[in-house]
Amino acid sequence: MVLGKCALTPLGGAGDKMGGYKGYGWATTVELLCTAFQSGPFGDDICGIDRSTGAPKPMPLGHFFLAINIESLCSLDTFKKNTGNLLRALRGSKKSPKGAGRIWTAGEPENDARVARTSQGGMKVPKVLQQNMIDLREQHADLKEKYAKFPFE
């Protein structure tokens, strides 16, 4: 989104080296949610190294989970429509002539990789992992029902 000569990058800096599409703002939000509610440590306090001695130290990481029942706020179809409109507007924003040429939204690079792998027959699963998956399925009845046959079988 461009206003005059200044560009707004919704969640952080421009380009991958400056936070990219996932961004600094989102990282800060996540850090606040994972530390502020529990008065937890952050920054150097969770780096895993004692800065004064260089010795390893525990990393007491905080966690935050949020589940939203979308349909308690609006219909799922409305939510999908609104979300799609916002993401299309972000991707369709005026781009910097010096930029990479594409505005990515969260999950797009990963989805593009998934689509590419799927079109090439999927991701290769090592034989040892295949056997682990089969063994795990055999130990749990609900998995047997859900994954009667894996694509590599």
Side-chain angles (χ1 to χ4, degrees), residues 5 7 24 26 37 43 51 53 64 73 84 86 102 104 122 139 142 144 146 152:
K5 295 181 181 179
Y24 178 81
W26 181 241
F37 286 128
R51 297 288 188 201
T53 66
F64 176 82
L73 303 169
L86 171 67
R102 179 169 180 179
W104 294 88
Q139 295 169 17
D142 56 326
K144 282 184 189 178
K146 187 172 182 178
F152 51 78

Side-chain angles (χ1 to χ4, degrees), residues 126-144:
K127 292 286 184 193
V128 172
L129 181 54
Q130 289 179 16
Q131 190 57 55
N132 288 344
M133 292 169 68
I134 292 168
D135 293 345
L136 186 63
R137 178 188 60 199
E138 296 306 312
Q139 295 169 17
H140 300 277
D142 56 326
L143 294 178
K144 282 184 189 178

